[in-house]
Amino acid sequence: MSFHSLNNQKIGFYLILITMIISKDAFSQNDNHCSKSWSEWKTVWSSTSGQVEYQLEFFSNGKCSCGLASKYVRIRHTLPQRTYVDIWLEGKDCEDKFMTSSFGAETMNGEISNDKGDWHSFKSISGVEKVLVEYMDGEKKIKIITTRAGTKRYINSIPEEEYNKQQQQKASSSSGSPTNRSGSNKVVPGTAMPAIVFPGDESTNSKSNNKNTNQSTSSSSGSQTQTQLAEQQRQRQEEAKRKQQEAERSQREEAFRQNELRYQAQLNEITRKSEARAQRDASIMQGMGAVFTILQQNEISKGFNEDARKRRKRIDEFNTKSKDPSYELADCDKCSGEGYKYCGNCKGKGEKVCIACSGSGGKRCSSCNGSGKKSWGTYILSCTNCTGTGIKQCIACSNKGVSVCVSCFGRGEYQCYCEGTGKMLLAKTNHEEVNHAVDSLENDLTYGLKQAEIDSKILAGFQFSNKPTEKELDSVYYISYSRYYSKETKTTAFIELYMMNRYSDGTYPLLSDVYEKIKFQPTVSSNVTRRFLGFFKNLNEAKTAMMLINERATQQQIDMKEKKEPKRINPPTSPSRTNDDFWKN
């Protein structure tokens, strides 16, 4: 009896101990599981008026994976005015892939922006691509864009140099009017006061009064002389006015001629750059025969031709407007007048590792299992599938191990929205239209921020691109969310369900490979949001999440289109077939 009692006491003690350990572990996981800390403030822009700084949040205890939860961004400045700041950062994401993302905020001096909808997915920061600063200086709207190429300053959407020239022309044209008005005061025929006061009039009249001789003759002669002088002064005034009008007309003609020459010089430079770009593209095509397949060359050729067509169309538009003095060319604010932007997809190289052979330039022959030999009865012969090499050529890259970057067509940079011209047309004389365009741009920025806030409310509480680690799960689910903003049309969001299988060795595919395979790139910008949500442990959990997203979208008055049936990312495979089956199925 005592023996059984002792055993029961031991069992109870062990149960209590195990319960305490589990509770402590669960408590430690719930408490401070994903603690985060802020980086130091870093200055990205400075001038004599003030500076701009940013601060990023990162995980600090190492218990959480890089992409497990949202990490926020703070921005502040020391400029005296209320200022809108937009920062473009470069770095690597959780999969060590190059990425760029922009963050904007409008704050007062010293105020820290910490919008919970403004978050980042950087693992590390390598540099700053561009900084935009906008503020009001009296009635002037100042915009400063700083890139690696330098700094450009705009006043009321006009380059500062051009704006100063316009002000100088206005000042010089208005300076002539006071002179004319002062000159006209010298002779005013028909007025009550004398037009000209002669020296010695008072003394002469005094003498005349004293002597009282020849009064009528002197009065008649003085009146006639005064009339003649007034007429001469009037003629001189009309001649001066005619000369002034002629000078103003000549000045306008000269300004028009100079503007036409300057415009034509700009068009010639744009055309020259376009021809140089076409020659460079042709040289790229000539050198591709030894690297890329015919299929890839055709794809690149189509991209080059389409870019060239867009460039020609934009240049023709510039030529059409060249004779209209109400238009002028200004640097494109998207590419700072360069016409092309750095391709982050291939890091400026123009080529990427072939996804079909993972850069190996060939794959092991499945017929001979890489040996290059096959048995035929008692004979051992060379394998006919791989010609005895053991390696079967990669058709996708012609056994080169690299493929062309489809984002930039092998250039290493992609054509900007200005179609590679680096210029855009602005209405020069109609300041109301220019101001309207500026207001429209401000409204677009405000609209984009509001839309991003709506997406944050719809996706609140969901994990973004969290890679599974549970060995007991044979499959997990993800949801892709995509929405483009447009004030002209009612925006619609799209969600689609994906299923990812675990390999037999207990691993899951890399998320970077998943994005490339399903053609999806997580993005948050001023006009689009694309997020990859999950993982979800089972189908029921994923569909419950889709219902919640749909309900939130309805509350935000956003139409939602969804595909509830899961789309398989990869099939269950054996380890030897893992790579082949992932890219082929």
Side-chain angles (χ1 to χ4, degrees):
M1 183 69 180
S2 60
F3 176 77
H4 291 291
S5 175
L6 182 61
N7 284 341
N8 290 337
Q9 290 179 359
K10 288 182 177 180
I11 293 172
F13 174 76
Y14 289 137
L15 288 174
I16 293 173
L17 182 61
I18 292 171
T19 302
M20 290 176 63
I21 293 173
I22 294 175
S23 300
K24 182 179 180 180
D25 183 64
F27 179 76
S28 64
Q29 289 182 357
N30 292 330
D31 183 25
N32 199 28
H33 178 61
C34 289
S35 65
K36 292 180 282 188
S37 61
W38 293 93
S39 66
E40 295 182 357
W41 286 100
K42 294 187 177 181
T43 302
V44 294
W45 184 90
S46 62
S47 70
T48 55
S49 303
Q51 63 183 18
V52 174
E53 300 175 313
Y54 78 94
Q55 188 182 40
L56 300 182
E57 190 177 33
F58 291 98
F59 292 117
S60 59
N61 62 352
K63 291 185 178 181
C64 297
S65 61
C66 175
L68 184 61
S70 299
K71 303 177 290 295
Y72 299 112
V73 181
R74 289 175 177 170
I75 298 175
R76 71 182 182 186
H77 66 85
T78 58
L79 294 164
Q81 305 92 341
R82 184 172 184 84
T83 303
Y84 174 77
V85 176
D86 208 349
I87 304 174
W88 281 258
L89 297 177
E90 299 176 339
K92 292 185 177 181
D93 61 9
C94 297
E95 304 295 333
D96 284 331
K97 298 293 185 180
F98 179 84
M99 66 171 289
T100 61
S101 188
S102 65
F103 309 95
E106 184 176 352
T107 57
M108 295 295 292
N109 183 342
E111 180 184 353
I112 298 177
S113 73
N114 187 14
D115 185 1
K116 290 300 182 183
D118 200 3
W119 43 267
H120 73 93
S121 56
F122 283 106
K123 179 180 179 182
S124 61
I125 300 295
S126 60
V128 180
E129 180 183 0
K130 181 167 66 172
V131 177
L132 181 146
V133 176
E134 285 186 333
Y135 60 86
M136 294 298 299
D137 183 7
E139 296 182 354
K140 298 178 183 178
K141 184 175 185 62
I142 308 299
K143 179 169 71 171
I144 305 172
I145 301 176
T146 301
T147 64
R148 294 186 180 95
T151 299
K152 295 189 178 181
R153 183 183 174 93
Y154 299 85
I155 302 177
N156 296 338
S157 297
I158 302 174
E160 184 177 26
E161 298 81 3
E162 188 65 26
Y163 178 84
N164 292 334
K165 288 181 181 178
Q166 292 181 5
Q167 297 303 310
Q168 291 175 1
Q169 291 176 357
K170 289 180 180 179
S172 61
S173 61
S174 62
S175 63
S177 300
T179 304
N180 295 332
R181 288 194 295 269
S182 62
S184 63
N185 291 333
K186 293 181 180 180
V187 179
V188 187
T191 58
M193 298 297 292
I196 300 177
V197 178
F198 293 97
D201 274 354
E202 295 180 357
S203 60
T204 304
N205 291 334
S206 176
K207 292 179 181 179
S208 177
N209 291 331
N210 292 331
K211 295 181 179 179
N212 292 320
T213 58
N214 300 325
Q215 292 182 356
S216 60
T217 305
S218 300
S219 176
S220 176
S221 177
S223 176
Q224 184 178 6
T225 303
Q226 184 176 348
T227 303
Q228 292 175 352
L229 291 174
E231 178 64 22
Q232 292 175 3
Q233 187 68 20
R234 185 186 65 79
Q235 292 177 359
R236 285 196 297 268
Q237 200 174 24
E238 289 182 352
E239 180 67 16
K241 185 177 180 180
R242 185 188 65 79
K243 289 182 178 179
Q244 181 185 355
Q245 291 176 347
E246 181 68 20
E248 290 177 352
R249 184 183 64 80
S250 299
Q251 186 178 9
R252 286 195 301 270
E253 290 179 352
E254 179 63 20
F256 180 80
R257 189 180 69 84
Q258 293 294 334
N259 181 73
E260 191 174 21
L261 291 175
R262 182 177 59 85
Y263 199 104
Q264 191 60 45
Q266 289 177 315
L267 287 177
N268 293 338
E269 180 65 14
I270 293 173
T271 304
R272 185 190 65 78
K273 288 183 178 180
S274 178
E275 292 174 353
R277 176 61 60 175
Q279 292 177 0
R280 180 182 174 186
D281 291 346
S283 64
I284 292 176
M285 285 299 303
Q286 291 176 358
M288 283 190 173
V291 180
F292 302 116
T293 63
I294 296 298
L295 181 63
Q296 290 174 334
Q297 293 180 49
N298 291 336
E299 194 69 22
I300 298 169
S301 179
K302 289 180 181 178
F304 285 169
N305 292 335
E306 180 63 17
D307 283 353
R309 184 190 67 80
K310 291 180 179 178
R311 284 202 308 272
R312 287 194 299 269
K313 183 178 179 181
R314 183 61 60 89
I315 294 174
D316 289 342
E317 179 186 359
F318 290 163
N319 275 306
T320 303
K321 298 288 186 180
S322 63
K323 297 181 180 179
D324 190 343
S326 61
Y327 288 94
E328 65 179 352
L329 289 174
D331 285 346
C332 173
D333 58 356
K334 300 294 183 183
C335 61
S336 301
E338 297 298 326
Y340 288 80
K341 301 184 73 175
Y342 177 81
C343 179
N345 194 26
C346 64
K347 299 180 181 179
K349 297 179 180 178
E351 61 186 33
K352 297 181 64 179
V353 174
C354 177
I355 59 176
C357 64
S358 300
S360 65
K363 299 175 288 186
R364 184 174 59 181
C365 178
S366 58
S367 180
C368 64
N369 201 23
S371 65
K373 305 292 183 180
K374 290 193 69 174
S375 298
W376 297 88
T378 58
Y379 297 98
I380 298 177
L381 303 175
S382 295
C383 176
T384 57
N385 288 336
C386 62
T387 64
T389 61
I391 300 296
K392 192 174 181 181
Q393 281 197 351
C394 178
I395 301 175
C397 66
S398 295
N399 218 29
K400 301 297 182 182
V402 293
S403 61
V404 68
C405 175
V406 295
S407 298
C408 62
F409 306 117
R411 294 191 185 110
E413 56 184 3
Y414 60 90
Q415 190 164 280
C416 179
Y417 298 111
C418 62
E419 315 302 357
T421 61
K423 299 290 182 181
M424 59 182 181
L425 274 173
L426 289 180
K428 183 176 62 173
T429 56
N430 195 338
H431 296 291
E432 292 183 0
E433 292 185 5
V434 174
N435 293 334
H436 176 73
V438 173
D439 293 338
S440 177
L441 177 61
E442 291 178 345
N443 293 335
D444 289 344
L445 292 172
T446 304
Y447 179 80
L449 292 173
K450 289 181 179 178
Q451 295 299 316
E453 183 179 354
I454 290 174
D455 290 324
S456 298
K457 292 178 180 179
I458 294 175
L459 305 179
F462 290 110
Q463 302 283 356
F464 295 140
S465 303
N466 188 20
K467 187 176 180 181
T469 56
E470 286 79 355
K471 295 294 182 67
E472 69 273 8
L473 295 176
D474 291 329
S475 61
V476 293
Y477 294 84
Y478 288 91
I479 298 173
S480 67
Y481 174 91
S482 302
R483 192 165 79 90
Y484 296 85
Y485 320 139
S486 174
K487 290 193 294 186
E488 288 75 18
T489 59
K490 189 173 182 180
T491 57
T492 302
F494 301 88
I495 53 176
E496 188 170 359
L497 184 60
Y498 289 91
M499 181 178 69
M500 180 193 292
N501 290 293
R502 179 171 63 89
Y503 294 135
S504 57
D505 61 358
T507 63
Y508 286 89
L510 294 174
L511 289 174
S512 58
D513 289 340
V514 171
Y515 296 152
E516 191 166 358
K517 181 177 179 181
I518 67 175
K519 307 302 180 186
F520 184 89
Q521 183 60 44
T523 306
V524 177
S525 64
S526 59
N527 60 351
V528 63
T529 295
R530 291 193 297 268
R531 304 302 298 167
F532 208 58
L533 312 178
F535 65 94
F536 300 95
K537 294 183 179 180
N538 52 61
L539 181 61
N540 184 49
E541 183 179 326
K543 289 193 173 183
T544 301
M546 294 179 76
M547 291 177 58
L548 180 58
I549 293 173
N550 209 328
E551 291 175 1
R552 292 175 176 176
T554 302
Q555 294 173 359
Q556 299 296 327
Q557 299 181 347
I558 301 297
D559 291 339
M560 180 68 71
K561 292 185 179 181
E562 57 182 335
K563 293 183 180 180
K564 294 183 179 180
E565 293 302 320
K567 187 175 181 180
R568 189 176 64 180
I569 294 175
N570 64 316
T573 60
S574 61
S576 62
R577 298 285 300 170
T578 293
N579 190 59
D580 289 343
D581 288 346
F582 176 78
W583 293 111
K584 289 184 177 180
N585 295 278

